[in-house]
Amino acid sequence: MAAAPRAPARGSVRKTRPLTVKTSLNNPYTLCWSPLEREDMLFILQTLEDRFRSVGLQKIEDKKRKKKQPFLKKQSRDKCSIDVDINEETEKQPEGERQVSGWTPVHVRKQLAIGVNEVTRALERSELLLVLVCKSVQPAIITSHLIQLSVSRTVPACQVPRLSERVAPVIGLKCVLALGFKKNTTAFVDEVEAIIPRVPRLNVAWLQDSLKASRDNLEPESLESQDKELLETSFEDVSKCKRKPVEGQQAVVLQPLKIKKLIPNPNKIRKPPKSKKTTSK
């Protein structure tokens, strides 16, 4: 009879998996939002809540689409009956009472940037006038990148406590972590002008805070004239010339980063060099 395979002895050494180590560059500066006074917080929340209710901005969701579909086995049997029931219910409702899922009114929604991702994209494109962030974000790193983005784009931004708690139910959302007002806004002009003076100043160590330069000082005609001059000049002149800053606009100056010492990673496993095999003739 064939001998059964032996189990490993108790004293046998098991191979341990190597620890995965990832190198990362930490920021020597600590970024934090400037504190907002209580009176300013209450003013911002009240003005936003009143304006959203007067405008009537709200997201409508079709609850029938959210119904859980049956399992795959039962789906083929009950598919016809489900479609018949939905068609009967839609036929019973008159056209005036049917609610289409989405934002109403749409033109007001296009004047806002709601959510961290949408606010980040709008900031990168320099489309915003004001940015408000909820303080109850966990973890805080979700919105920390908006500090240097808003400062580099000269956009006033602040962290407002209870922003999501007060604004989200008014517009029909579960939470609002970030809210931005675009430059083409017409429904929130008075509110933005009233909130901006109450926004505290942000401090970023490696960027000059140029929030004092308002958007009115930026002249689009001068920028267009500079672009026309660049197009008319030759390629060699373009490589030499530099764009002049507009009057009233402060140029962003980066401070040099000083590296004290470079230490190699001691946990990194380095493979030995491959030795060339001698071919026997």
Side-chain angles (χ1 to χ4, degrees), residues 74-233:
K74 298 180 181 180
Q75 190 173 3
S76 59
R77 300 176 184 175
D78 303 335
K79 187 175 182 181
C80 297
S81 60
I82 291 169
D83 294 338
V84 170
D85 295 338
I86 292 171
N87 292 330
E88 289 178 355
E89 290 177 359
T90 52
E91 288 176 359
K92 290 179 182 178
Q93 292 181 354
E95 294 181 358
E97 296 181 359
R98 291 179 187 175
Q99 292 182 348
V100 181
S101 60
W103 288 92
T104 55
V106 180
H107 70 278
V108 177
R109 174 63 180 88
K110 291 180 180 179
Q111 301 174 15
L112 298 172
I114 302 174
V116 178
N117 295 333
E118 193 172 346
V119 169
T120 303
R121 287 194 296 268
L123 271 176
E124 290 174 348
R125 298 169 185 170
S126 299
E127 297 177 352
L128 297 183
L129 293 174
L130 176 65
V131 174
L132 301 177
V133 177
C134 186
K135 193 176 181 180
S136 61
V137 178
Q138 293 296 334
I141 197 173
I142 295 175
T143 58
S144 62
H145 68 281
L146 297 176
I147 299 175
Q148 57 263 35
L149 254 181
S150 59
V151 172
S152 63
R153 301 301 191 275
T154 65
V155 177
C158 69
Q159 197 176 47
V160 183
R162 295 187 293 175
L163 178 69
S164 179
E165 181 182 346
R166 295 281 296 271
V167 175
V170 177
I171 60 178
L173 294 176
K174 293 182 180 179
C175 66
V176 177
L177 300 182
L179 181 65
F181 298 88
K182 294 186 178 181
K183 292 181 180 179
N184 61 349
T185 181
T186 56
F188 303 96
V189 175
D190 298 334
E191 285 72 18
V192 170
E193 291 179 355
I195 291 172
I196 286 177
R198 297 174 178 266
V199 173
R201 200 174 170 186
L202 292 174
N203 296 320
V204 178
W206 64 91
L207 290 176
Q208 288 185 355
D209 191 2
S210 57
L211 292 180
K212 291 183 179 180
S214 61
R215 63 186 179 91
D216 298 332
N217 294 331
L218 299 177
E219 299 176 357
E221 296 179 359
S222 60
L223 293 175
E224 291 177 0
S225 62
Q226 289 180 11
D227 293 336
K228 289 179 181 178
E229 291 177 1
L230 290 175
L231 291 173
E232 291 175 358
T233 55

Side-chain angles (χ1 to χ4, degrees), residues 64-77:
K64 294 176 182 178
R65 294 183 181 179
K66 283 190 171 183
K67 287 184 178 181
K68 293 182 179 179
Q69 294 182 355
F71 295 103
L72 295 175
K73 294 182 180 178
K74 298 180 181 180
Q75 190 173 3
S76 59
R77 300 176 184 175

